[in-house]
Amino acid sequence: MKIVVPAKLIPDLVDELAIDATGTALDSTWLRLIINEFDDHAIEQAIILKERSGCQVTIVSPNVEGVDDMLFATAAKGADKLIKVNGNFEAGVNNHALARGLVPLIQELQPDLILTGVQAHNDMDGSLGALLAEYLHMPYVGYISSVSATSNQVTALKEYPGGLMAEIEIALPAVLGIQAAEQPPRYVAISKVRQMMKTVAIDEYEIPVFDIHGGATVSRMFQPESAEKATMFSGDIDETSNKLIDVFKEIGVL
Amino acid sequence: MNQDIYVISEHLRDQVADISYVMLSAAHELAQITGGKVIAVLLGQNAKNLANDFAADEVLYAEHPSLAEFTSQAYQLVLEEVIKSSNPRAVLFGHTSIGTDVANCLSARLDLPLVSSVRKFTSDGKFVSQICGGKLMAEGNLPDPTVIITIVPGEYKVESGKASQPSHISSIGVPALENMQVVLKNYIEPETGDVDISKEPIIISIGRGIQNQDNIVLAEELAQALGGVVCASRPVVDQGWLPTSRLVGKSGKAVKPKIYLAIGISGAPEHVEAITGSDVIVAINTDPAAPIFNLAKYGTTADLFDLVPLLTEKVKQAKGS
């Protein structure tokens, strides 16, 4: 079985996010990119399936800063083939455009199963997986947290609110939006990643033009205005803890 | 194209999901601007009465045995026809496990624009989407012609999407739903833990900031001292550090304690939507821009590893005195 995992690097939310001079987009000057955590889970799920039944796993990712390191890390985990996608990503490529651009590449790869993160925190025009499924005329199911595969179908667990799960059978080829892998994404030692850098090649694929229609144009980006911002306790921790003790007493839990 | 706003209602196992009412409430706001009607769409089998309290000008009901339970493919096939034949100004879906499976695919299939994670509409009809884990909002004009929108909770109230009188319900046709590629086999019930967190009055909740499993003991000691339970946001549960029964959030449980102490939790929308029923939220997070502070009544950017052990000691002292 062939599995393709499209994975994206997105802004690290731990860092401060600044708006650029146009006021309509994130300032990318100091932006640190990390793998979309749901894509990380999709990679893990693909590797789990490989270990279980010997699939071939290909990771596909837009060529932005940090992509080589990310791809080599997936090779260290067990991915077989790495492809970075070249194109003008600076211009604000949305998921509709990326999905359209990936279609010829994925058709060429002929996967039985495509696993990708159910969403990314900066998605504004839907999720990549669902759009890709539709452009490839494959079924799509998202919010998946477990996958087992046979030759012509997968059985997957779909998450609903309250911890309820649905066991769903999906005919292959199909696209699944992964919420969580069956186990946490594995850790790989830096030494193993470095070894991959020396021994594994990254293929390249060109998307010459992006067709972004299907998304919306942002006229203003801003930090949320909160009507009631929290009362902040500052000072040393002794003082802060005393104030929290007062809060506990006030609420009546102490 | 007309100016109507369609709302694709969600229900699961004979229960209308709250997001359906949130969407109806949002649709009324948008319809006032467009000058159209609010049309609710309900798909199901023997489910017509679920629409009885929908605050809509009209309800369209599609009935079929294959619609008794949600599957993405059956919903897509029915709604594709509904949208194609009606050409409304906007179609609202929940930004949920049900809504996004359908909305995203229909945008590509029908070649219609899609705006996701919309939290509110401005008075001049612009969308405001909540992105980057709730840290940023993005505003813009609704694209033409018919726009597909996924709605996140937070702005619109469930109550304003409910009506005391049932609306007119008309049945609509259903296309062939045979030989489906996506088939629901069965439901798996939620894991029942030692406690029902939705009923706990004191919750000490931990997020990614707790860093590793060994540090959970800090939260456990505080919970023990206060007489509460330890819960967590998604990253902690995904790591397997706490069972799913302790998950607070979109895929876990909603909670309504007297106090929700969020430790190292940033406040991503998926988490926030499940804690809004709390009486008081107190947040400890070193990032002053963490969205949790927009919701919390009290907060501090003190380092949890310094603060929590000291707090535990002081709680013990206070209880001992």
Side-chain angles (χ1 to χ4, degrees):
Chain A
M1 176 179 282
K2 287 184 185 171
I3 303 177
V4 169
V5 184
K8 290 196 293 187
L9 291 159
I10 57 172
D12 187 350
L13 294 181
V14 170
D15 293 343
E16 198 177 327
L17 302 177
I19 314 288
D20 72 5
T22 68
T24 63
L26 265 180
D27 187 342
S28 57
T29 321
W30 304 108
L31 215 52
R32 195 159 52 115
L33 301 178
I34 54 165
I35 189 166
N36 172 24
E37 62 173 319
F38 299 109
D39 292 342
D40 204 16
H41 279 270
I43 291 164
E44 181 60 36
Q45 187 63 55
I47 303 293
I48 292 171
L49 289 174
K50 177 183 170 175
E51 288 170 342
R52 226 180 258 157
S53 52
C55 314
Q56 187 208 56
V57 177
T58 302
I59 315 293
V60 175
S61 187
N63 184 1
V64 294
E65 199 176 330
V67 70
D68 288 3
D69 291 350
M70 185 270 271
L71 287 172
F72 286 127
T74 67
K77 291 178 179 185
D80 302 285
K81 197 173 156 71
L82 315 175
I83 303 175
K84 65 178 170 190
V85 177
N86 296 318
N88 183 12
F89 291 102
E90 301 248 312
V93 174
N94 61 24
N95 282 332
H96 281 73
L98 183 58
R100 287 188 192 101
L102 289 176
V103 165
L105 170 64
I106 291 178
Q107 282 171 334
E108 203 178 300
L109 293 169
Q110 295 188 311
D112 303 285
L113 181 61
I114 298 172
L115 303 179
T116 190
V118 66
Q119 61 181 358
H121 66 63
N122 60 350
D123 285 343
M124 275 199 58
D125 64 328
S127 64
L128 180 66
L131 297 168
L132 205 48
E134 203 53 43
Y135 293 137
L136 290 164
H137 307 291
M138 293 180 189
Y140 172 81
V141 183
Y143 290 84
I144 297 299
S145 58
S146 163
V147 185
S148 57
T150 60
S151 59
N152 60 358
Q153 73 171 36
V154 288
T155 304
L157 294 184
K158 179 176 175 66
E159 294 191 355
Y160 286 117
L164 183 71
M165 301 266 203
E167 192 179 25
I168 296 176
E169 281 179 2
I170 306 134
L172 294 177
V175 183
L176 301 180
I178 302 294
Q179 166 82 39
E182 283 159 50
Q183 63 187 45
R186 65 195 67 196
Y187 171 79
V188 281
I190 292 286
S191 56
K192 204 170 173 197
V193 178
R194 289 218 181 96
Q195 193 188 332
M196 291 297 146
M197 288 175 178
K198 290 179 196 151
T199 53
V200 178
I202 297 178
D203 292 343
E204 299 195 30
Y205 177 80
E206 187 80 22
I207 301 179
V209 184
F210 285 107
D211 172 5
I212 63 161
H213 93 272
T217 306
V218 174
S219 56
R220 184 166 82 102
M221 197 172 274
F222 56 99
Q223 275 153 356
E225 303 117 359
S226 170
E228 293 167 74
K229 192 98 179 156
T231 302
M232 298 299 282
F233 299 141
S234 48
D236 64 26
I237 59 157
D238 193 48
E239 212 176 311
T240 304
S241 56
N242 286 339
K243 284 176 180 161
L244 289 174
I245 292 291
D246 291 344
V247 168
F248 294 164
K249 286 178 177 164
E250 177 194 316
I251 300 167
V253 294
L254 192 62
Chain B
M1 188 180 82
N2 62 56
Q3 295 302 319
D4 295 343
I5 311 301
Y6 276 50
V7 171
I8 312 305
S9 62
E10 288 187 14
H11 57 96
L12 197 60
R13 302 169 107 198
D14 305 325
Q15 281 260 311
V16 177
D18 277 354
I19 192 72
S20 301
Y21 302 109
V22 168
M23 288 192 280
L24 286 166
S25 168
H28 278 286
E29 194 128 323
L30 190 55
Q32 280 194 343
I33 302 161
T34 65
K37 289 182 293 189
V38 172
I39 315 282
V41 184
L42 175 69
L43 279 58
Q45 171 75 358
N46 297 324
K48 201 172 180 174
N49 60 353
L50 291 180
N52 281 346
D53 63 350
F54 284 3
D57 295 305
E58 195 185 342
V59 178
L60 304 180
Y61 175 53
E63 184 164 77
H64 191 280
S66 297
L67 299 172
E69 304 292 339
F70 171 80
T71 63
S72 55
Q73 195 184 11
Y75 264 54
Q76 285 159 17
L77 289 168
V78 174
L79 294 170
E80 179 183 355
E81 295 305 316
V82 170
I83 297 170
K84 272 201 291 202
S85 61
S86 53
N87 293 311
R89 177 66 190 95
V91 186
L92 310 189
F93 288 86
H95 192 83
T96 60
S97 179
I98 288 179
T100 55
D101 269 16
V102 186
N104 297 350
C105 290
L106 286 180
S107 164
R109 189 177 303 179
L110 297 169
D111 198 20
L112 293 174
L114 169 67
V115 186
S116 34
S117 299
V118 172
R119 188 181 158 110
K120 63 178 261 188
F121 299 106
T122 62
S123 54
D124 54 352
K126 290 190 171 111
F127 69 83
V128 181
S129 285
Q130 178 174 271
I131 56 169
C132 294
K135 280 191 154 184
L136 290 177
M137 309 298 264
E139 184 181 292
N141 289 319
L142 289 180
D144 294 322
T146 296
V147 56
I148 295 177
I149 293 171
T150 62
I151 297 279
V152 295
E155 187 72 19
Y156 298 106
K157 301 270 173 277
V158 168
E159 296 71 40
S160 16
K162 287 187 178 175
S164 48
Q165 294 292 317
S167 314
H168 176 71
I169 302 181
S170 27
S171 291
I172 53 171
V174 174
L177 298 174
E178 281 104 40
N179 303 320
M180 305 298 276
Q181 295 162 294
V182 178
V183 179
L184 170 75
K185 297 308 288 179
N186 57 281
Y187 287 114
I188 297 168
E189 299 302 323
E191 192 182 305
T192 46
D194 48 345
V195 288
D196 179 357
I197 61 169
S198 66
K199 297 195 172 84
E200 286 293 325
I202 301 173
I203 291 180
I204 312 299
S205 201
I206 49 175
R208 206 188 296 273
I210 200 78
Q211 293 181 3
N212 64 54
Q213 191 166 14
D214 295 342
N215 294 330
I216 292 178
V217 66
L218 298 176
E220 280 168 350
E221 283 168 357
L222 179 56
Q224 202 177 9
L226 266 178
V229 295
V230 177
C231 293
S233 62
R234 183 94 208 195
V236 173
V237 173
D238 278 350
Q239 288 296 328
W241 298 342
L242 282 177
T244 316
S245 57
R246 300 294 180 100
L247 174 62
V248 178
K250 197 173 184 172
S251 306
K253 283 197 168 169
V255 295
K256 38 184 190 318
K258 282 170 82 170
I259 181 166
Y260 188 82
L261 181 58
I263 302 176
I265 288 178
S266 68
E270 294 81 3
H271 183 75
V272 161
E273 69 178 72
I275 64 171
T276 50
S278 309
D279 287 351
V280 175
I281 296 168
V282 179
I284 302 172
N285 195 309
T286 48
D287 177 6
I292 191 77
F293 293 125
N294 295 333
L295 193 72
K297 187 167 183 196
Y298 302 103
T300 173
T301 55
D303 190 323
L304 77 90
F305 298 108
D306 298 329
L307 180 62
V308 173
L310 184 61
L311 197 54
T312 304
E313 280 314 306
K314 291 195 175 175
V315 168
K316 283 182 187 166
Q317 280 168 20
K319 288 230 165 168
S321 62

